[in-house]
Amino acid sequence: MSRYLLHGPLHFSLFGIFSLGLFFTCWHGHSQQDTSRIVTYTDKIILKANIDTRTDVLLYRNRTEDARLELAPNSRYRLFLSLDYEFIGVSVGLVPKLLGANADEDLKGKSSFTDYQFRFFLGKWVQGLNYSKTSGYYVKNTADFAPGWIEGTNPYIQFNNLTNSHYGMSTSYVLNPNFSYRNIVYQNEWQKVSSGSLIPTLYYDYNIFSFDELGLRSKEKFFNLRFSPRYFYTHVFHENWFISGNVSPSLGVRFSKDESTENGITEIERKTYFTRSVSGGINLGYSSEKVIFGVNLTLNSNWYNEDSNSSVKNDEFYGVLYLGYRFEPPRFVKKVFRPFTAN
């Protein structure tokens, strides 16, 4: 059973602490510069709320036995609250207890989700840090394992002690100076002229996937490293409206250490996998001097082969709805970030 449970897609190292110091030391941009192509709003505080429908669904398939296992947390909606100012941004994610987000806990069990994200900007460089944890999964294809099971009436097979912890980082570089990556992702700039850019990105993350139930304790620790030559294009069709699309193929490698204990016997297995993924999306957004909002649709697929007969795959299609507001920071905040220029 451990082979079925201990694999999952998710994205912190001490380098992040160095990155933070680097950004405080080297950042030298000038806020609210209105050029012919890009307007920056980094001297404004931006508060934003995102609601998305993303869930970390895992599909394990054994081609020899023609068997599959599909795992998912019981979280239909996720809420992110974010704040951006100057060269730094932070987001906190959780599962809201509203709108019936988890009204079917009697059938699918309880799940918990937390997510913390930090981002730093230095010219055309973007550095991201992320920690997330998801606990509690159910088997979406329970009917394949429980004859006579009736959807909507019988509970799904549940693994309440299945936990996925993720420590991730990413480093991106925007090749085209006339393209605003921050406009479509963080909304602290406004792109006035249509443009596109390659944005090569390196992702590196450490993950712990653990299970402790039914007399079996398993823990898989794995490190992922992957590179993606992402491409974004933004079409501005109104002074306040834009539509943007992107495509992001990637190749990588996963170093895995699997520890499982059953009946007092512990087994350790180390493996290396080559990973592949492709994602794409479209974003429709509005931006004024103070108000921002938009919707983003994303398709993401990543997979790797365990061996000649078994594979792990994750396919996702989800939407994001965001709403934000820009306003002047308090004077003491300005003094912290610009002690020599704040009035």
Side-chain angles (χ1 to χ4, degrees):
M1 177 65 75
S2 62
R3 294 186 62 210
Y4 289 91
L5 299 176
L6 299 182
H7 296 87
L10 280 176
H11 290 197
F12 199 72
S13 70
L14 293 177
F15 179 73
I17 306 301
F18 171 76
S19 300
L20 177 59
L22 179 64
F23 274 82
F24 271 103
T25 303
C26 300
W27 180 83
H28 60 282
H30 190 277
S31 298
Q32 197 59 31
Q33 294 177 341
D34 188 348
T35 69
S36 61
R37 294 180 177 271
I38 297 173
V39 180
T40 67
Y41 293 102
T42 56
D43 63 341
K44 310 292 186 184
I45 290 179
I46 301 177
L47 294 179
K48 187 173 63 176
N50 296 6
I51 295 180
D52 73 45
T53 60
R54 181 174 181 173
T55 56
D56 297 315
V57 180
L58 172 67
L59 173 63
Y60 176 89
R61 176 179 285 115
N62 187 304
R63 288 183 286 269
T64 301
E65 301 176 3
D66 193 24
R68 53 182 280 155
L69 177 70
E70 193 170 355
L71 297 172
N74 183 18
S75 54
R76 291 182 293 178
Y77 305 103
R78 305 191 305 180
L79 173 66
F80 285 84
L81 302 175
S82 66
L83 182 151
D84 287 86
Y85 179 61
E86 293 288 1
F87 59 91
I88 188 172
V90 60
S91 300
V92 178
L94 47 88
V95 175
K97 295 295 183 180
L98 50 85
L99 302 177
N102 291 322
D104 49 3
E105 290 182 346
D106 56 329
L107 297 177
K108 299 179 180 179
K110 294 182 179 181
S111 296
S112 63
F113 168 79
T114 55
D115 188 290
Y116 302 94
Q117 300 179 17
F118 301 88
R119 46 196 172 269
F120 309 96
F121 307 95
L122 178 59
K124 293 189 290 184
W125 291 93
V126 182
Q127 180 66 45
L129 293 84
N130 164 248
Y131 166 75
S132 65
K133 182 177 181 179
T134 303
S135 298
Y137 288 75
Y138 71 97
V139 180
K140 294 189 68 175
N141 60 325
T142 291
D144 295 341
F145 302 93
W149 177 84
I150 301 175
E151 183 177 2
T153 300
N154 303 125
Y156 288 80
I157 298 174
Q158 301 167 20
F159 299 102
N160 299 319
N161 293 325
L162 182 59
T163 301
N164 210 337
S165 300
H166 163 79
Y167 307 81
M169 295 183 67
S170 65
T171 302
S172 302
Y173 184 78
V174 183
L175 290 174
N176 185 357
N178 296 319
F179 177 79
S180 176
Y181 179 61
R182 297 167 73 167
N183 169 54
I184 59 175
V185 179
Y186 307 111
Q187 292 82 46
N188 54 7
E189 289 184 347
W190 171 245
Q191 183 169 321
K192 300 170 63 177
V193 180
S194 300
S195 183
S197 180
L198 279 172
I199 306 178
T201 301
L202 181 66
Y203 297 95
Y204 32 112
D205 56 84
Y206 177 71
N207 305 266
I208 302 174
F209 210 66
S210 60
F211 175 75
D212 187 356
E213 201 166 326
L214 304 175
L216 173 65
R217 290 190 306 166
S218 297
K219 180 178 293 186
E220 183 186 19
K221 302 176 182 178
F222 51 91
F223 176 78
N224 291 321
L225 180 67
R226 63 187 178 94
F227 175 76
S228 175
R230 303 189 297 166
Y231 182 77
F232 289 74
Y233 185 84
T234 297
H235 174 65
V236 181
F237 59 90
H238 186 273
E239 61 178 351
N240 298 110
W241 288 91
F242 72 90
I243 186 168
S244 181
N246 68 87
V247 60
S248 306
S250 73
L251 293 174
V253 61
R254 168 176 290 194
F255 303 97
S256 171
K257 179 183 178 182
D258 190 350
E259 301 177 8
S260 60
T261 301
E262 188 173 11
N263 299 322
I265 300 176
T266 300
E267 296 182 356
I268 298 177
E269 185 177 23
R270 290 180 171 87
K271 287 188 175 182
T272 300
Y273 306 103
F274 292 99
T275 62
R276 291 153 289 175
S277 71
V278 62
S279 65
I282 188 169
N283 183 4
L284 175 65
Y286 170 89
S287 177
S288 67
E289 188 74 20
K290 293 184 177 181
V291 177
I292 54 177
F293 63 83
V295 60
N296 185 13
L297 299 177
T298 299
L299 174 65
N300 179 56
S301 179
N302 58 79
W303 66 96
Y304 66 91
N305 294 325
E306 282 197 315
D307 50 45
S308 59
N309 297 314
S310 304
S311 63
V312 178
K313 186 177 183 181
N314 176 251
D315 292 324
E316 296 176 320
F317 178 74
Y318 61 93
V320 178
L321 179 67
Y322 63 87
L323 174 65
Y325 186 76
R326 301 187 183 104
F327 59 93
E328 291 286 342
R331 181 174 298 179
F332 75 90
V333 174
K334 292 183 179 180
K335 288 183 177 180
V336 170
F337 282 82
R338 296 190 174 193
F340 303 109
T341 61
N343 294 326

